[in-house]
């Protein structure tokens, strides 16, 4: 990779912070550093302590850096950042923007067109995996867009932030379409595991033995989904939820919108989304997407909160 190109990062949420730390460690080992920013800049203190360079906003990151990774929560935030860069005095020609967020495919296509008109390249790079997978540097990257950029930046992704790249070609829309479609499995799995664990608790088997079976029979991914429920992390006693219920709802709604446009029925996803909406209405913002477990508990005569979760 071209060592002269400076690398930037914006977005230090539950996924982005771990990804940025892994990327900075790689750059630091090569005698360089990551330039970063975030809406709340203090969230990057651990990066600053390790030699990464903070900047006040996306414009300053874009001014200094050639390749800029984004990891943000919503389509609106992404569009706002792109607009901010385009409306600034920063010359974007020759720069590459890589968006690791999960957006609607139409948003990726729109952003790609805007950046290309400004002489920049865009790579839609949504990732599969929870924050624990991000911390371990084992995310699966779905990437589409400028192929030269994907090839050039692969050494900063594979073995650093992710285990593999699924290259979806030149059309940025396609990698996001893959991510949104794949997220149907995530949400429906959460619903199925929550239903299973509530039944196991009610029929006397207990969640511990059921979780053992889930791990042994279906592997660590589904076992990890179960643990998000049984450990109480669906409504953490301290700190912030791993992957917020609001973001999970957003991802599910993207899939439901695509399905509606194509006249595809998705009753399981629709049910799970409604349960997440109910969870958010009852328990507030600081819930994990697995909080549909609390709703199913309530519907079965159990408290929304478990002994392991917070209690209100």
């Amino acid at each position: 990779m071209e060592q002269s190109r400076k690398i930037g990062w914006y977005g230090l949420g539950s996924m982005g912070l771990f990804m940025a730390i892994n990327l900075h460690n790689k750059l630091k080992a090569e005698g360089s550093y990551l330039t970063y920013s975030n809406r709340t800049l203090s969230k990057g203190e651990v990066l600053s302590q390790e030699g990464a360079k903070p900047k006040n906003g996306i414009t300053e990151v874009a001014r200094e850096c050639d390749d800029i990774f984004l990891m943000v929560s919503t389509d609106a935030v992404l569009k706002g950042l792109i607009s901010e860069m385009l409306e600034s005095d920063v010359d974007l020609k020759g720069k590459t923007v890589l968006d690791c967020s999960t957006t609607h495919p139409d948003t990726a296509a729109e952003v790609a067109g805007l950046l290309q008109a400004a002489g920049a390249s865009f790579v839609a790079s949504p990732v599969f995996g929870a924050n624990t997978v991000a911390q371990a540097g084992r995310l699966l990257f779905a990437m589409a867009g400028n192929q030269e950029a994907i090839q050039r930046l692969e050494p900063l992704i594979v073995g650093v932030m992710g285990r593999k790249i699924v290259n979806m070609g030149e059309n940025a829309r396609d990698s996001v379409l893959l991510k949104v479609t794949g997220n149907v499995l995530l949400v429906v799995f959460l619903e199925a595991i929550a239903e299973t664990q509530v039944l196991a608790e009610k029929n006397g088997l207990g969640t511990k033995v059921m979780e053992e079976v889930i791990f042994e029979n279906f592997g660590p991914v589904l076992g990890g989904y179960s643990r998000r429920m049984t450990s109480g992390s669906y409504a953490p006693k301290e700190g912030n939820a791993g992957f917020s219920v609001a973001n999970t709802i957003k991802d599910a709604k993207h899939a439901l919108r695509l399905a509606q446009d194509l006249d595809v029925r998705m009753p399981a996803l629709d049910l799970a989304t409604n349960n997440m909406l109910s969870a958010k209405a009852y328990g507030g913002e600081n819930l994990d997407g697995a909080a549909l477990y609390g709703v199913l508990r309530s519907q079965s005569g159990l408290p929304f909160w478990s002994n392991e979760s917070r209690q209100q």
Side-chain angles (χ1 to χ4, degrees):
M1 115 155 251
E2 301 173 37
Q3 295 297 324
S4 60
R5 292 183 69 89
K6 293 185 178 180
I7 309 300
W9 188 279
Y10 188 98
L12 300 175
S14 63
M15 297 281 290
L17 179 59
F18 290 128
M19 295 169 72
I21 289 170
N22 288 336
L23 179 55
H24 174 65
N25 287 340
K26 169 69 172 177
L27 294 172
K28 186 177 179 180
E30 296 177 350
S32 186
Y33 58 86
L34 183 68
T35 299
Y36 72 91
S37 190
N38 190 58
R39 183 177 61 180
T40 305
L41 199 56
S42 61
K43 288 187 177 181
E45 183 62 29
V46 64
L47 283 164
S48 178
Q49 291 174 355
E50 291 299 319
K53 306 300 182 184
K55 293 291 178 180
N56 289 318
I58 187 62
T59 299
E60 294 308 308
V61 173
R63 190 184 309 281
E64 180 165 320
C65 298
D66 305 293
D67 299 313
I68 304 148
F69 289 84
L70 308 176
M71 185 58 162
V72 296
S73 57
T74 68
D75 296 49
V77 173
L78 173 62
K79 290 179 181 181
L81 292 173
I82 299 303
S83 294
E84 190 175 339
M85 285 190 283
L86 292 172
E87 293 168 6
S88 73
D89 62 351
V90 176
D91 184 1
L92 296 178
K93 290 184 177 66
K95 296 181 185 288
T96 301
V97 176
L98 303 95
D99 178 38
C100 300
S101 319
T102 299
T103 65
H104 191 280
D106 291 347
T107 298
E110 178 184 344
V111 167
L114 291 170
L115 287 170
Q116 287 164 9
S121 298
F122 179 69
V123 178
S125 310
V127 297
F128 291 91
N131 59 342
T132 53
V133 182
Q135 185 173 17
R138 296 286 295 165
L139 295 166
L140 177 64
F141 278 69
M143 301 184 75
N146 184 284
Q147 293 296 296
E148 181 276 332
I150 293 174
Q151 182 178 8
R152 173 167 48 79
L153 291 163
E154 183 176 353
L156 294 182
I157 294 170
V158 178
V160 180
M161 294 184 286
R163 65 186 185 274
K164 184 177 181 180
I165 292 171
V166 178
N167 191 325
M168 295 296 292
E170 293 279 353
N171 190 341
R173 192 177 189 276
D174 289 343
S175 60
V176 183
L177 185 61
L178 177 65
K179 178 58 164 64
V180 170
T181 304
N183 274 352
V184 174
L185 288 171
L186 183 155
V187 178
V188 173
F189 282 149
L190 286 174
E191 174 72 23
I193 292 167
E195 291 180 13
T196 300
Q197 284 292 33
V198 170
L199 179 60
E201 185 168 352
K202 290 284 287 189
N203 68 20
L205 285 172
T207 59
K208 184 176 180 180
V209 67
M210 195 69 249
E211 190 161 288
E212 181 181 1
V213 169
I214 293 170
F215 266 103
E216 293 297 328
N217 207 33
F218 300 106
V221 173
L222 297 194
Y225 291 169
S226 176
R227 190 160 290 164
R228 285 159 69 179
M229 302 171 196
T230 62
S231 68
S233 63
Y234 72 93
K237 291 180 179 179
E238 298 179 356
N240 295 321
F243 192 80
S244 76
V245 68
N247 282 343
T248 312
I249 291 168
K250 178 261 296 181
D251 293 351
K253 284 186 173 181
H254 283 330
L256 288 169
R257 178 180 158 193
L258 283 172
Q260 183 177 23
D261 291 344
L262 296 168
D263 198 26
V264 174
R265 292 185 66 253
M266 308 203 81
L269 181 62
D270 192 54
L271 173 64
T273 303
N274 285 331
N275 282 337
M276 289 190 293
L277 286 165
S278 295
K280 183 171 175 286
Y282 181 80
E285 293 286 342
N286 192 23
L287 295 173
D288 186 88
L292 47 73
Y293 175 59
V295 172
L296 289 163
R297 286 173 58 86
S298 298
Q299 292 171 350
S300 301
L302 298 169
F304 180 93
W305 316 104
S306 70
N307 291 335
E308 289 72 30
S309 76
R310 74 172 194 265
Q311 298 301 305
Q312 58 179 2

